mmCIF file of all heavy atoms in Angstrom:
data_model
loop_
_atom_site.group_PDB
_atom_site.id
_atom_site.type_symbol
_atom_site.label_atom_id
_atom_site.label_comp_id
_atom_site.label_asym_id
_atom_site.label_seq_id
_atom_site.Cartn_x
_atom_site.Cartn_y
_atom_site.Cartn_z
ATOM 1 N N VAL A 374 -224.676 -70.024 -86.329
ATOM 2 C CA VAL A 374 -223.315 -70.331 -86.773
ATOM 3 C C VAL A 374 -222.492 -71.032 -85.654
ATOM 4 O O VAL A 374 -221.988 -72.126 -85.808
ATOM 5 C CB VAL A 374 -222.592 -69.131 -87.214
ATOM 6 C CG1 VAL A 374 -221.092 -69.491 -87.674
ATOM 7 C CG2 VAL A 374 -223.360 -68.530 -88.438
ATOM 8 N N ASN A 375 -222.265 -70.364 -84.548
ATOM 9 C CA ASN A 375 -221.561 -70.896 -83.393
ATOM 10 C C ASN A 375 -221.755 -70.028 -82.188
ATOM 11 O O ASN A 375 -222.506 -68.931 -82.262
ATOM 12 C CB ASN A 375 -220.131 -71.286 -83.694
ATOM 13 C CG ASN A 375 -219.437 -70.007 -84.221
ATOM 14 O OD1 ASN A 375 -219.630 -68.763 -83.758
ATOM 15 N ND2 ASN A 375 -218.516 -70.166 -85.184
ATOM 16 N N GLN A 376 -221.056 -70.185 -81.092
ATOM 17 C CA GLN A 376 -221.251 -69.469 -79.962
ATOM 18 C C GLN A 376 -220.759 -67.990 -80.048
ATOM 19 O O GLN A 376 -221.192 -67.048 -79.360
ATOM 20 C CB GLN A 376 -220.591 -70.035 -78.668
ATOM 21 C CG GLN A 376 -218.977 -69.919 -78.735
ATOM 22 C CD GLN A 376 -218.486 -70.240 -77.333
ATOM 23 O OE1 GLN A 376 -218.041 -71.455 -77.202
ATOM 24 N NE2 GLN A 376 -218.426 -69.306 -76.497
ATOM 25 N N TRP A 377 -219.850 -67.881 -81.058
ATOM 26 C CA TRP A 377 -219.381 -66.440 -81.245
ATOM 27 C C TRP A 377 -220.109 -65.732 -82.277
ATOM 28 O O TRP A 377 -219.834 -64.520 -82.470
ATOM 29 C CB TRP A 377 -217.831 -66.559 -81.635
ATOM 30 C CG TRP A 377 -217.038 -67.182 -80.550
ATOM 31 C CD1 TRP A 377 -216.547 -66.615 -79.442
ATOM 32 C CD2 TRP A 377 -216.570 -68.540 -80.538
ATOM 33 N NE1 TRP A 377 -215.835 -67.600 -78.664
ATOM 34 C CE2 TRP A 377 -215.829 -68.760 -79.326
ATOM 35 C CE3 TRP A 377 -216.643 -69.637 -81.475
ATOM 36 C CZ2 TRP A 377 -215.230 -70.012 -79.047
ATOM 37 C CZ3 TRP A 377 -216.019 -70.852 -81.104
ATOM 38 C CH2 TRP A 377 -215.367 -70.981 -79.895
ATOM 39 N N GLU A 378 -220.990 -66.407 -83.134
ATOM 40 C CA GLU A 378 -221.673 -65.834 -84.153
ATOM 41 C C GLU A 378 -223.079 -66.345 -84.050
ATOM 42 O O GLU A 378 -223.307 -67.562 -84.494
ATOM 43 C CB GLU A 378 -221.026 -66.024 -85.535
ATOM 44 C CG GLU A 378 -221.877 -65.485 -86.696
ATOM 45 C CD GLU A 378 -222.166 -64.058 -86.465
ATOM 46 O OE1 GLU A 378 -221.460 -63.043 -86.642
ATOM 47 O OE2 GLU A 378 -223.410 -63.813 -86.160
ATOM 48 N N GLY A 379 -224.035 -65.594 -83.636
ATOM 49 C CA GLY A 379 -225.417 -66.107 -83.447
ATOM 50 C C GLY A 379 -226.327 -65.953 -84.556
ATOM 51 O O GLY A 379 -227.521 -66.324 -84.442
ATOM 52 N N HIS A 380 -225.855 -65.496 -85.732
ATOM 53 C CA HIS A 380 -226.817 -65.380 -86.977
ATOM 54 C C HIS A 380 -227.035 -66.695 -87.479
ATOM 55 O O HIS A 380 -226.392 -67.721 -87.280
ATOM 56 C CB HIS A 380 -226.112 -64.426 -87.878
ATOM 57 C CG HIS A 380 -226.128 -63.024 -87.631
ATOM 58 N ND1 HIS A 380 -225.286 -62.417 -86.756
ATOM 59 C CD2 HIS A 380 -227.060 -62.036 -87.851
ATOM 60 C CE1 HIS A 380 -225.508 -61.081 -86.519
ATOM 61 N NE2 HIS A 380 -226.696 -60.917 -87.193
ATOM 62 N N PRO A 381 -228.084 -66.847 -88.359
ATOM 63 C CA PRO A 381 -228.415 -68.102 -88.959
ATOM 64 C C PRO A 381 -227.313 -68.732 -89.766
ATOM 65 O O PRO A 381 -226.599 -68.015 -90.495
ATOM 66 C CB PRO A 381 -229.594 -67.769 -89.781
ATOM 67 C CG PRO A 381 -230.162 -66.508 -89.208
ATOM 68 C CD PRO A 381 -228.982 -65.762 -88.663
ATOM 69 N N ASN A 382 -227.141 -70.087 -89.584
ATOM 70 C CA ASN A 382 -226.081 -70.751 -90.373
ATOM 71 C C ASN A 382 -226.669 -71.199 -91.691
ATOM 72 O O ASN A 382 -227.667 -70.743 -92.125
ATOM 73 C CB ASN A 382 -225.526 -71.917 -89.554
ATOM 74 C CG ASN A 382 -226.525 -72.949 -89.280
ATOM 75 O OD1 ASN A 382 -227.782 -72.946 -89.769
ATOM 76 N ND2 ASN A 382 -226.301 -73.885 -88.320
ATOM 77 N N GLU A 383 -225.756 -71.931 -92.463
ATOM 78 C CA GLU A 383 -226.231 -72.438 -93.790
ATOM 79 C C GLU A 383 -227.486 -73.261 -93.761
ATOM 80 O O GLU A 383 -228.350 -73.240 -94.565
ATOM 81 C CB GLU A 383 -224.986 -73.262 -94.398
ATOM 82 C CG GLU A 383 -223.843 -72.550 -94.636
ATOM 83 C CD GLU A 383 -222.864 -72.307 -93.490
ATOM 84 O OE1 GLU A 383 -223.243 -72.720 -92.415
ATOM 85 O OE2 GLU A 383 -221.809 -71.721 -93.716
ATOM 86 N N LYS A 384 -227.602 -74.155 -92.770
ATOM 87 C CA LYS A 384 -228.756 -74.922 -92.591
ATOM 88 C C LYS A 384 -230.078 -74.066 -92.449
ATOM 89 O O LYS A 384 -231.077 -74.298 -93.049
ATOM 90 C CB LYS A 384 -228.597 -75.869 -91.410
ATOM 91 C CG LYS A 384 -229.905 -76.705 -91.123
ATOM 92 C CD LYS A 384 -230.263 -77.729 -92.104
ATOM 93 C CE LYS A 384 -231.332 -78.647 -91.727
ATOM 94 N NZ LYS A 384 -231.692 -79.580 -92.786
ATOM 95 N N ALA A 385 -229.957 -73.110 -91.631
ATOM 96 C CA ALA A 385 -231.140 -72.141 -91.428
ATOM 97 C C ALA A 385 -231.505 -71.435 -92.756
ATOM 98 O O ALA A 385 -232.763 -71.342 -93.130
ATOM 99 C CB ALA A 385 -230.814 -71.189 -90.345
ATOM 100 N N ASN A 386 -230.558 -70.930 -93.367
ATOM 101 C CA ASN A 386 -230.734 -70.219 -94.679
ATOM 102 C C ASN A 386 -231.356 -71.133 -95.775
ATOM 103 O O ASN A 386 -232.185 -70.703 -96.532
ATOM 104 C CB ASN A 386 -229.490 -69.640 -95.225
ATOM 105 C CG ASN A 386 -229.125 -68.190 -94.504
ATOM 106 O OD1 ASN A 386 -229.576 -67.156 -95.061
ATOM 107 N ND2 ASN A 386 -228.593 -68.215 -93.320
ATOM 108 N N GLN A 387 -230.959 -72.354 -95.653
ATOM 109 C CA GLN A 387 -231.626 -73.367 -96.660
ATOM 110 C C GLN A 387 -233.093 -73.539 -96.284
ATOM 111 O O GLN A 387 -233.813 -73.534 -97.251
ATOM 112 C CB GLN A 387 -230.858 -74.680 -96.541
ATOM 113 C CG GLN A 387 -231.448 -75.804 -97.454
ATOM 114 C CD GLN A 387 -230.997 -75.390 -98.909
ATOM 115 O OE1 GLN A 387 -230.046 -74.915 -99.291
ATOM 116 N NE2 GLN A 387 -232.093 -75.517 -99.753
ATOM 117 N N ILE A 388 -233.398 -73.610 -95.062
ATOM 118 C CA ILE A 388 -234.826 -73.711 -94.642
ATOM 119 C C ILE A 388 -235.526 -72.436 -95.100
ATOM 120 O O ILE A 388 -236.694 -72.624 -95.538
ATOM 121 C CB ILE A 388 -234.902 -73.975 -93.117
ATOM 122 C CG1 ILE A 388 -234.321 -75.364 -92.676
ATOM 123 C CG2 ILE A 388 -236.339 -73.815 -92.639
ATOM 124 C CD1 ILE A 388 -234.172 -75.411 -91.218
ATOM 125 N N PHE A 389 -234.997 -71.360 -94.784
ATOM 126 C CA PHE A 389 -235.667 -70.045 -95.112
ATOM 127 C C PHE A 389 -235.964 -69.906 -96.602
ATOM 128 O O PHE A 389 -237.003 -69.612 -97.074
ATOM 129 C CB PHE A 389 -234.840 -68.770 -94.686
ATOM 130 C CG PHE A 389 -234.520 -68.768 -93.298
ATOM 131 C CD1 PHE A 389 -233.363 -68.016 -92.790
ATOM 132 C CD2 PHE A 389 -235.312 -69.341 -92.364
ATOM 133 C CE1 PHE A 389 -233.202 -67.950 -91.534
ATOM 134 C CE2 PHE A 389 -235.063 -69.271 -91.029
ATOM 135 C CZ PHE A 389 -233.938 -68.669 -90.475
ATOM 136 N N SER A 390 -234.939 -70.251 -97.414
ATOM 137 C CA SER A 390 -234.996 -70.237 -98.868
ATOM 138 C C SER A 390 -236.132 -71.174 -99.393
ATOM 139 O O SER A 390 -236.925 -70.734 -100.292
ATOM 140 C CB SER A 390 -233.750 -70.466 -99.604
ATOM 141 O OG SER A 390 -233.357 -71.769 -99.405
ATOM 142 N N GLU A 391 -236.154 -72.353 -98.966
ATOM 143 C CA GLU A 391 -237.178 -73.363 -99.401
ATOM 144 C C GLU A 391 -238.579 -72.855 -99.121
ATOM 145 O O GLU A 391 -239.439 -73.007 -99.935
ATOM 146 C CB GLU A 391 -236.809 -74.607 -98.749
ATOM 147 C CG GLU A 391 -235.680 -75.366 -99.247
ATOM 148 C CD GLU A 391 -235.256 -76.587 -98.526
ATOM 149 O OE1 GLU A 391 -236.032 -76.980 -97.402
ATOM 150 O OE2 GLU A 391 -234.266 -77.275 -98.800
ATOM 151 N N MET A 392 -238.800 -72.289 -97.977
ATOM 152 C CA MET A 392 -240.137 -71.861 -97.593
ATOM 153 C C MET A 392 -240.531 -70.643 -98.308
ATOM 154 O O MET A 392 -241.684 -70.484 -98.834
ATOM 155 C CB MET A 392 -240.173 -71.517 -96.120
ATOM 156 C CG MET A 392 -239.916 -72.786 -95.252
ATOM 157 S SD MET A 392 -240.104 -72.513 -93.519
ATOM 158 C CE MET A 392 -241.933 -72.377 -93.309
ATOM 159 N N PHE A 393 -239.658 -69.671 -98.672
ATOM 160 C CA PHE A 393 -239.853 -68.574 -99.460
ATOM 161 C C PHE A 393 -240.220 -68.888 -100.904
ATOM 162 O O PHE A 393 -241.101 -68.521 -101.547
ATOM 163 C CB PHE A 393 -238.789 -67.483 -99.415
ATOM 164 C CG PHE A 393 -238.769 -66.594 -98.316
ATOM 165 C CD1 PHE A 393 -237.692 -66.506 -97.475
ATOM 166 C CD2 PHE A 393 -239.728 -65.755 -98.138
ATOM 167 C CE1 PHE A 393 -237.650 -65.608 -96.430
ATOM 168 C CE2 PHE A 393 -239.939 -64.867 -97.128
ATOM 169 C CZ PHE A 393 -238.756 -64.805 -96.270
#
Side-chain angles (χ1 to χ4, degrees):
V374 178
N375 53 41
Q376 75 168 94
W377 300 283
E378 176 51 78
H380 285 85
N382 60 15
E383 294 85 353
K384 174 67 176 177
N386 276 264
Q387 182 66 47
I388 292 173
F389 301 156
S390 68
E391 290 174 356
M392 298 186 71
F393 275 124

